[in-house]
Amino acid sequence: MTTLTNEEIPPMENPSIQKLYELQDVTRVFRTGGGEVRAISDVNLEIYPGELISIEGPSGSGKTTLLQVLGALDKATSGTVRFGETELTEIDDKELTELRARDLGFVFQSFNLIPTLTAAENVEAALVTVAHSKKERRARVDELLEVVGLSERRDHLPTRLSGGEQQRVAIARALANGPRVILADEPTGNLDSETAREVVSVLRKLSTERGVTVIIVTHAEEVARMTERRIRMLDGRMLNGNGDPTWNQ
Amino acid sequence: MFSFTYMAKELRRRLGRTILTALGLAAGVGLVIGIIGVSEGLDEAQAQVLAPLGSVGTDILVTRVAGSTTAPTATPTPTPAADQPQQSFGPGGGGFFAGPPGAGRANAANQADTTALLNENNNVVTDLSKLGKPGAKFTHDFFLSATLLSFPQEAVDQIADIPGVTKVTGGLTQLAQHQTGTVPQIVAEITTGGKTVTQTVRPDPMTAEERAAFAACAQKSGGTTQTEPAPSPGAEPRRGGTFFFGPGAAEKCLPKRFQEFRASFITPMETIRQVVNPPSTDITNKSYTAAGIDPASPTVGLVTQTQLTSGHWLRSTNPNEVLANVAYANKNSLKVGSTVAINGTTYTVAGLVNPTLTGNTADLYFPLTSLQKLAGKTGRVTQVLVKAKDSASVDAVAKEIKKLLPGAEVVTTKSLADQVTGSLADAKKVASRLGGALGVIVLIAAFAIAMLLTLSSVAKRVREIGTLRAIGWSKGRVVKQILTETIGIGLLGGAAGIVLGLAAAFAVGAFSPSLSASSNGVPGFASSTLSGLFGQTQAAAHTSTIALKAPVHMTTLAIGVAFAVVGGLLAGTVGGWRAARLSPAEALRNLG
Ligand SMILES: Nc1ncnc2c1ncn2[C@@H]1O[C@H](COP(=O)(O)OP(=O)(O)OP(=O)(O)O)[C@@H](O)[C@H]1O
Ligand SMILES: [Mg+2]
C-alpha cells in the first residue's frame, strides 16, 4: 500500500501558481417529477495544472455530476465554476463546445468508441473539430496511437480490440487536441485489475510527463491509491475539500 | 472527407435500417416515376390526338370550313344566296374579314376572297385535254382544296397584329392527285356565258343632210340596196330606222355620232365545269397530301423543325425543296436528296419529317409559295396556326380572331382537349387524380418511415451523439453528420427508385394498353383533318386509338431522385433536431 505524500499537493495559498479550476459553492439541482434532487451541493474546490486527482464516493453521491460540471458538459445551478480565465456558468453552448474540443478530454467507463470507426478514425473524430488538414490529422493520429502504444492496431475496429486497448484508444482520442484536463468517469470500471492498472498508469504518465491535469472518478480503492489527491463525496457534498485535513483518510 | 467515411461506415453497419429506409423511399420514388411516366404518356397520347395543334407549337388553329363562310358585302349584286351555289352566305353579310375599322383593306380583301372562293372548286377540274393531244402520254399532279377552303393570306398578317400573339404562320393543305396515263379523246366541258351581245342604242334620227351623205357613201361602197326605211303602217312614226348595209359600210358611212353608240358587252364567263370521273382510259391515280409551310417559321407550322428526323429544314432561298413524311418516304423509297418531279418542276427532298399527328399529316411539305403556285392558289392559305404569348391569353386571342375573321373556324388546344372523350380522357382523369393521390400517399408514407427510422436510429445512438458532443462536436456538426447519412440513404433510395420506376415504365410499355380518344363533333377539327375530309369519318366523331407508353425522361428521374433526397433531408432534419436537443450530460449519463 503506497500512500501518496502531501508534498505533491501544491500549497493552497501560493498565488504564484495559476489555478486551473476554482469552484465556489457549486450546486447542481435536478428538477424531476418527484421533486428536486441536489446532485451536488456547495462544492468548493481548487485544482492546479498537472494534478492527478481521484473522486470517490458511493453510488449517487454526485461524482459524475461533479465531473460533468468540470467537463463543461453540464452547468451548475448555482455557484461559480472558473476554468482558467473562463467562467463556465456564464458562457453559451457554442463556447462550451469549443472549450471541450480544445481544452478537455473525456474517458468513459464503457469506452464510448464509435463502433463503426477504426481506432485511427476514432481518434480522428476528435481532430476534425479543430481545423487540420487531412495530412496533419494523419500524422497526429499516428503520434497519439504511439503514445498509448497502439500503433499496430490503428486500422482495427473497436470490436476487435480488448477492453484495455479500447480504453487506450479512448485516451488517445481524449488527448487529440492537446487538452489541459482529462476527465475520466470510472475508466477502469469495465476492466480487470491488471488492465486497470495499465490504463491508470497511462493516465498518470500524462499527468507527470505532460503536465495534463487528470481527474478520475472511481470506485476502486486500488485506482484511487495511484492518484496524488483523493476527493471523497457523500450525498452531493465533498467530504474533504480544499485544505480539509480529512481529505486523505 | 471524414464525414463521408463516417457516413458510409454508419450506413453499412446499420444495413437493415439503411435498406429499409432506402426501400421505403425507393417505393415512393419508383411510384412517382411511374406515375409521371404514365401521365406523360397520356399527355403524349393526348398531344397525338390533338396533333394538329399540340405537336406543332400551336395554340390556335384557324380554318375555313365549307358551309361556314359568310357573304361578302362587297358584292354589289343584291342577289340572294341561292344564286351563288358555290357557297352559302351567312346572314351576317360580313366578309371573311370584318368590316370597319380598317374597312378599306378588309373590303378589298373580301372582294378578292370572294372571287377566289368562287374559283376554288374550278381549280380542281381535271381537264385532261389541256395536257396534250388525245393519245399522248401524260403525267400530271392536280391539287384539290375540297372542303378545307382557302382564304387570303392577309389573315396571317392581321392575326399577327392581335395583342398576345407571339407567332403566326399560314399553311396550305391540298389533296394532290398524281395521274399518269393517256390523254383521252373525250373531255366534257360545259361552258355558259361568254357570249358577245351587241346592243344598239337608238340615237336621234339623222338629219336630211346626214341621210343624203350616208346614202351617197353607201352607194359608193356598193352594198346598200335600201336607203329609205319603210315606216310601219299605222304606227307612230319611229324616229330613226334600220339600215341594211354590207360589212364595213356602217363604219365608213355612218356619221360619227352614230358610231359612238355601238357597244359590245360580254356576259361574265361562268364555266360551270363539273368534277367528272376521268374517262376510263389507262389513267392511274395516286393521291397524296401536300402541305405548304413557311420555311421561315420552323417552330410553328403544319410541321416543325423538331419533327425533322434527317436532312435539313426548308431554305427560303430554294423554292424547289420539299420535306417528306417519313412514312411516305419509306413507302415511295424517298431519301434525303431524292427528287420528285411535279408538273415540270423537280423538287429535291431536303429532309424527312416525322409529324406525330394522327389526322393531319401531309406526305410532302412544300415552301408555301411553291405550293400556292402549284395549286393555283397564290396568296391563299387553308390554315393559320397561331402561337399565343401564354396559355392564359389563348382564349382572348381566339375571340379576337373570331371577331376579325367572321368566316373562320377558330379552334384552341383547350377547346379540343375539353371535348376529347374516351378511355384516354378517363385514364388522364384517373392518372391525375388517383395517380397523384397515390403518389402523394406513398411519398408521405415513405417520408414518414424514413423520419421514424431516423428518429429511432438517433435514439439508439444517444450515447454516440453524447460522446461526439463531449469530444467537441458542435450541434451543427452532429446535425450535418446525420443529414449526410440520411441524404446518403436518400440517394440510395433514389437509385433503387429509378430502377423500380424504369421497371414500371417498361412494364407499361411492354403491356402497352391501348386507349381510344374521341373528339366528338369538334367544330372544324374533325372535319378539317384530311382523313375526315377525303373519306371515312365526315365531321362525325373522330376516334383515334393510341397505345399508351410511359416514357421516362431525364427530368422525371431527376424529380424522383429529388424526392428521395427531400425524404432524406426531412428524415435528417427531424433526426438532427432530436439529436441537437440532447443535452450531452444526459446523453452520456443515460447509458453510462
Ligand atoms: N438528469 C438527472 N435527473 C434527475 N436526477 C439526476 C440526474 N442526474 C443525476 N441525478 C441524480 O443526482 C444524484 C447524483 O448522481 P451522479 O450520477 O452524479 O452519482 P454518481 O456518484 O456518479 O453515482 P454512480 O457511482 O452510480 O455513478 C443521483 O441521486 C442521481 O439520481
Ligand atoms: Mg457516476
Side-chain angles (χ1 to χ4, degrees):
Chain A
M1 284 267 238
T2 19
T3 308
L4 295 173
T5 57
N6 250 343
E7 288 85 68
E8 288 172 65
I9 306 304
M12 291 267 318
E13 313 300 334
N14 190 340
S16 67
I17 296 174
Q18 185 70 48
K19 289 169 196 159
L20 183 65
Y21 278 106
E22 186 169 8
L23 279 65
Q24 280 178 358
D25 303 324
V26 171
T27 299
R28 177 67 169 102
V29 179
F30 292 105
R31 268 167 254 280
T32 63
E36 290 188 347
V37 179
R38 279 180 168 261
I40 51 172
S41 42
D42 301 320
V43 168
N44 289 287
L45 177 64
E46 288 173 3
I47 295 170
Y48 291 85
E51 274 196 280
L52 176 62
I53 302 170
S54 63
I55 303 173
E56 295 162 85
S59 187
S61 57
K63 307 181 295 290
T64 297
T65 305
L66 177 59
L67 200 73
Q68 289 188 339
V69 167
L70 292 171
L73 287 168
D74 200 3
K75 275 191 176 182
T77 312
S78 64
T80 59
V81 182
R82 181 164 281 280
F83 176 75
E85 297 300 305
T86 316
E87 177 50 55
L88 298 190
T89 50
E90 283 168 7
I91 61 174
D92 63 15
D93 179 76
K94 191 167 161 277
E95 288 167 298
L96 289 171
T97 302
E98 276 168 22
L99 192 85
R100 289 199 296 271
R102 268 184 288 110
D103 296 326
L104 307 172
F106 293 87
V107 177
F108 307 94
Q109 177 175 357
S110 42
F111 327 129
N112 289 10
L113 296 180
I114 313 292
T116 48
L117 302 180
T118 62
E121 286 161 352
N122 263 285
V123 177
E124 197 183 352
L127 286 167
V128 294
T129 59
V130 177
H132 287 301
S133 71
K134 178 88 195 160
K135 217 175 117 194
E136 282 170 342
R137 290 209 300 263
R138 226 195 114 90
R140 184 97 180 111
V141 166
D142 288 344
E143 184 190 322
L144 289 162
L145 287 176
E146 179 90 50
V147 169
V148 295
L150 284 174
S151 298
E152 307 296 308
R153 319 295 303 272
R154 69 185 311 280
D155 293 323
H156 287 205
L157 287 175
T159 43
R160 298 195 37 205
L161 299 173
S162 73
E165 286 165 341
Q166 285 188 54
Q167 197 60 301
R168 281 191 277 156
V169 173
I171 292 168
R173 179 178 67 184
L175 285 172
N177 296 316
R180 294 155 80 180
V181 189
I182 285 189
L183 302 137
D185 197 347
E186 301 188 38
T188 58
N190 287 4
L191 303 174
D192 60 52
S193 54
E194 174 65 27
T195 319
R197 235 189 329 273
E198 270 173 42
V199 166
V200 175
S201 33
V202 171
L203 290 173
R204 210 179 127 131
K205 230 164 84 181
L206 293 175
S207 155
T208 54
E209 291 177 11
R210 301 183 160 225
V212 177
T213 304
V214 177
I215 304 168
I216 307 169
V217 167
T218 186
H219 279 124
E221 170 69 17
E222 205 183 352
V223 172
R225 264 192 275 113
M226 291 174 76
T227 63
E228 300 158 352
R229 180 177 166 195
R230 298 169 67 167
I231 295 171
R232 286 174 217 271
M233 299 205 54
L234 186 64
D235 292 338
R237 294 183 181 276
M238 222 163 71
L239 292 182
N240 47 347
N242 304 322
D244 189 325
T246 64
W247 69 272
N248 206 17
Q249 299 309 300
Chain B
M1 276 297 280
F2 179 79
S3 57
F4 284 117
T5 313
Y6 190 4
M7 179 267 285
K9 294 196 162 188
E10 203 57 40
L11 295 194
R12 222 183 307 151
R13 178 174 65 140
R14 300 170 206 269
L15 200 60
R17 173 187 75 106
T18 303
I19 289 175
L20 197 60
T21 314
L23 276 185
L25 290 172
V29 166
L31 198 69
V32 165
I33 290 175
I35 288 168
I36 293 179
V38 167
S39 133
E40 284 187 356
L42 289 168
D43 281 345
E44 280 175 21
Q46 190 170 48
Q48 232 178 357
V49 172
L50 306 180
L53 304 187
S55 63
V56 287
T58 304
D59 295 318
I60 301 166
L61 175 71
V62 183
T63 56
R64 181 181 209 180
V65 177
S68 68
T69 51
T70 51
T73 42
T75 311
T77 55
T79 11
D83 282 6
Q84 305 199 351
Q86 287 90 343
Q87 51 182 333
S88 61
F89 294 144
F96 182 66
F97 293 95
R105 186 179 159 196
N107 280 342
N110 279 329
Q111 205 139 19
D113 183 31
T114 308
T115 320
L117 267 179
L118 287 174
N119 292 325
E120 187 94 345
N121 291 319
N122 293 346
N123 291 330
V124 304
V125 168
T126 55
D127 187 354
L128 301 177
S129 65
K130 300 228 172 82
L131 300 171
K133 290 195 173 76
K137 288 277 175 202
F138 78 91
T139 301
H140 197 82
D141 291 47
F142 300 93
F143 293 89
L144 296 85
S145 259
T147 57
L148 194 63
L149 294 176
S150 71
F151 49 90
Q153 209 165 347
E154 280 97 323
V156 177
D157 299 330
Q158 291 204 312
I159 290 170
D161 291 340
I162 295 174
V165 171
T166 50
K167 275 185 188 143
V168 55
T169 186
L172 179 66
T173 305
Q174 298 280 290
L175 180 70
Q177 301 283 357
H178 178 81
Q179 296 190 338
T180 23
T182 314
V183 178
Q185 296 287 350
I186 308 144
V187 175
E189 184 179 318
I190 306 151
T191 307
T192 63
K195 285 176 190 128
T196 306
V197 177
T198 307
Q199 193 181 14
T200 311
V201 183
R202 296 171 196 285
D204 288 333
M206 286 189 218
T207 58
E209 303 92 273
E210 279 173 344
R211 214 173 293 177
F214 178 72
C217 170
Q219 225 153 16
K220 232 193 286 167
S221 33
T224 312
T225 49
Q226 188 187 347
T227 55
E228 191 74 30
S232 308
E236 201 187 299
R238 283 164 62 179
R239 304 203 282 162
T242 311
F243 303 93
F244 298 92
F245 38 75
E251 284 85 345
K252 246 200 309 197
C253 306
L254 270 177
K256 217 173 173 214
R257 176 159 63 89
F258 281 75
Q259 289 177 11
E260 281 167 5
F261 282 92
R262 282 177 56 90
S264 290
F265 299 92
I266 301 170
T267 58
M269 171 87 87
E270 278 180 59
T271 314
I272 308 169
R273 283 177 287 187
Q274 287 159 327
V275 180
V276 289
N277 287 332
S280 45
T281 57
D282 61 344
I283 294 171
T284 56
N285 188 20
K286 248 172 46 187
S287 64
Y288 61 94
T289 44
I293 55 168
D294 182 359
S297 174
T299 53
V300 177
L302 293 175
V303 71
T304 57
Q305 198 160 13
T306 52
Q307 295 168 332
L308 193 71
T309 57
S310 61
H312 63 80
W313 186 247
L314 295 181
R315 292 173 295 202
S316 320
T317 49
N318 190 345
N320 297 335
E321 282 181 336
V322 293
L323 297 173
N325 190 332
V326 172
Y328 181 77
N330 286 343
K331 224 184 323 181
N332 295 280
S333 343
L334 291 177
K335 289 193 295 273
V336 173
S338 301
T339 55
V340 190
I342 298 165
N343 298 352
T345 310
T346 303
Y347 294 88
T348 309
V349 176
L352 300 184
V353 286
N354 190 9
T356 50
L357 333 184
T358 48
N360 213 2
T361 38
D363 297 318
L364 288 177
Y365 294 88
F366 294 78
L368 182 58
T369 47
S370 302
L371 185 63
Q372 284 173 337
K373 236 175 271 163
L374 272 176
K377 293 197 175 59
T378 307
R380 300 189 70 78
V381 293
T382 51
Q383 291 112 327
V384 177
L385 299 98
V386 184
K387 173 120 194 84
K389 186 176 74 219
D390 47 44
S391 54
S393 54
V394 168
D395 284 344
V397 170
K399 226 164 109 190
E400 276 304 307
I401 295 174
K402 273 182 208 155
K403 222 187 312 170
L404 183 70
L405 309 171
E409 288 295 337
V410 180
V411 174
T412 64
T413 316
K414 198 177 160 296
S415 71
L416 285 183
D418 288 349
Q419 296 191 51
V420 170
T421 56
S423 58
L424 170 61
D426 296 340
K428 245 192 101 54
K429 259 181 237 155
V430 169
S432 59
R433 292 197 193 139
L434 202 99
L438 193 65
V440 166
I441 289 168
V442 170
L443 270 183
I444 288 177
F447 286 1
I449 289 170
M451 287 191 272
L452 288 174
L453 286 173
T454 307
L455 277 178
S456 98
S457 149
V458 167
K460 275 187 200 141
R461 291 165 73 188
V462 162
R463 182 165 60 150
E464 184 174 323
I465 291 163
T467 306
L468 290 171
R469 298 281 281 123
I471 65 173
W473 280 44
S474 64
K475 281 180 188 173
R477 188 179 291 275
V478 170
V479 171
K480 240 187 340 199
Q481 187 60 42
I482 290 171
L483 275 171
T484 307
E485 290 173 18
T486 55
I487 289 172
I489 292 176
L491 288 170
L492 285 177
I498 284 177
V499 174
L500 281 179
L502 285 175
F506 180 78
V508 169
F511 180 53
S512 194
S514 61
L515 299 164
S516 70
S518 310
S519 55
N520 211 342
V522 176
F525 168 62
S527 55
S528 74
T529 60
L530 285 166
S531 62
L533 288 179
F534 299 107
Q536 319 81 23
T537 50
Q538 187 79 15
H542 179 83
T543 303
S544 325
T545 304
I546 299 119
L548 177 65
K549 293 270 182 295
V552 178
H553 303 295
M554 279 313 287
T555 47
T556 311
L557 297 183
I559 288 171
V561 174
F563 269 123
V565 171
V566 165
L569 261 172
L570 277 175
T573 306
V574 170
W577 169 79
R578 180 76 194 86
R581 271 169 40 109
L582 281 175
S583 119
E586 267 179 71
L588 288 166
R589 185 185 295 277
N590 273 348
L591 296 142

